[in-house]
Amino acid sequence: NSFQGTIPQNFLSGIEDVSQLIKVDLTDNDLYGSIPESLSRFDDLRLFLVGNIIQHVPDVICKKHEWMSGLMSTGCDALLCLPGTYSEFGRRISDDHSCKPCAFNTSSSVYGSQFCSSQEEDTFDEKSILSHLYRELNGEKWTDRDYWLNDDNSICTWDGVHCNSDDSVIKLDLQSNGLKGTIPSLIYRLPSLEVLDVRKNDIALSFHGAELAKSLKELYLDETS
């Protein structure tokens, strides 16, 4: 997808049966502004908006308790994390994976943040980014995945992860490793990443947000889907 601009008020207006389950995935686009109030007419909507710049969620949307498989009944963060909070998934997907407060409220000023940046320096949580990558790309079935998501080990010891002297990721070598899915655009937020090698995997890659990859020099995508 490569959608830009605001979500129009007549979005999904062509659907007449508002009682049926509707799934809409708008993840990782260039959408901004508000979620249209007109969507509140749907009884059971699963709307995925993480990876955009959503600045407002109307109260009438937050009252749609049947949305998101019923998770909205216990809070609007099941749709998107509220400003000033974050989750590696950009929303609350269960009680064990909820949105957490940022250290600085201003570091997460939009809905659906997957990380927090510091007021003092523009840095990102590289571990959260890699963890999100692992979960999105079927990590449990990777060929080599030693130490991934192990809190007792530095990310620099995780299979395929190479770091510089400052323990910042400079290379991801995940070729022929059983990756499956779409690489999340968060990958471009790794501040020191110079080499990304995902050859020979069943993956897709969007270039949305690639302008943020200031250090990226080499990208290998041979024999990917």
Side-chain angles (χ1 to χ4, degrees):
N1 295 343
S2 184
F3 300 120
Q4 299 179 339
T6 59
I7 304 174
Q9 283 294 328
N10 63 353
F11 184 59
L12 303 183
S13 61
I15 299 177
E16 296 181 358
D17 184 359
V18 298
S19 64
Q20 66 176 312
L21 168 62
I22 304 294
K23 297 181 182 179
V24 180
D25 191 348
L26 295 173
T27 304
D28 288 335
N29 281 284
D30 288 318
L31 299 170
Y32 59 86
S34 177
I35 297 176
E37 292 188 9
S38 59
L39 293 179
S40 65
R41 70 191 187 94
F42 292 101
D43 297 330
D44 190 3
L45 185 63
R46 296 179 192 175
L47 179 62
F48 301 98
L49 284 167
V50 173
N52 293 284
I53 308 174
I54 302 301
Q55 298 152 314
H56 178 63
V57 178
D59 289 341
V60 67
I61 295 295
C62 288
K63 293 177 181 178
K64 303 301 295 184
H65 295 168
E66 299 303 316
W67 283 22
M68 308 306 286
S69 304
L71 284 173
M72 292 278 282
S73 63
T74 52
C76 205
D77 59 348
L79 184 62
L80 292 168
C81 287
L82 305 181
T85 68
Y86 77 101
S87 160
E88 62 186 276
F89 303 101
R91 64 185 187 90
R92 173 173 53 84
I93 63 171
S94 68
D95 291 339
D96 294 330
H97 296 92
S98 59
C99 300
K100 301 175 182 178
C102 294
F104 304 100
N105 285 339
T106 56
S107 67
S108 176
S109 58
V110 298
Y111 287 81
S113 291
Q114 295 172 283
F115 49 83
C116 297
S117 60
S118 167
Q119 271 189 334
E120 297 176 354
E121 54 181 309
D122 189 20
T123 59
F124 300 93
D125 184 348
E126 296 185 57
K127 184 175 182 180
S128 293
I129 295 173
L130 292 179
S131 297
H132 184 58
L133 178 78
Y134 180 87
R135 293 190 174 98
E136 287 292 301
L137 298 180
N138 205 31
E140 291 186 356
K141 295 185 178 179
W142 288 1
T143 305
D144 299 308
R145 57 186 180 90
D146 286 350
Y147 305 120
W148 276 80
L149 306 193
N150 189 330
D151 290 334
D152 295 329
N153 292 83
S154 162
I155 59 174
C156 300
T157 66
W158 295 4
D159 259 339
V161 178
H162 302 263
C163 298
N164 59 20
S165 59
D166 295 322
D167 291 335
S168 184
V169 179
I170 58 172
K171 179 179 180 180
L172 286 178
D173 185 359
L174 299 172
Q175 61 173 304
S176 304
N177 204 36
L179 281 64
K180 186 174 183 178
T182 299
I183 296 179
S185 296
L186 270 183
I187 194 73
Y188 300 126
R189 296 279 185 172
L190 291 170
S192 304
L193 184 65
E194 298 178 3
V195 181
L196 176 59
D197 191 344
V198 289
R199 285 176 284 187
K200 301 181 180 179
N201 287 290
D202 185 15
I203 55 94
L205 175 67
S206 167
F207 289 98
H208 169 72
E211 70 278 1
L212 300 173
K214 304 297 185 183
S215 301
L216 190 62
K217 300 176 182 176
E218 300 176 32
L219 176 61
Y220 299 97
L221 296 172
D222 312 49
E223 298 183 48
T224 57
S225 55

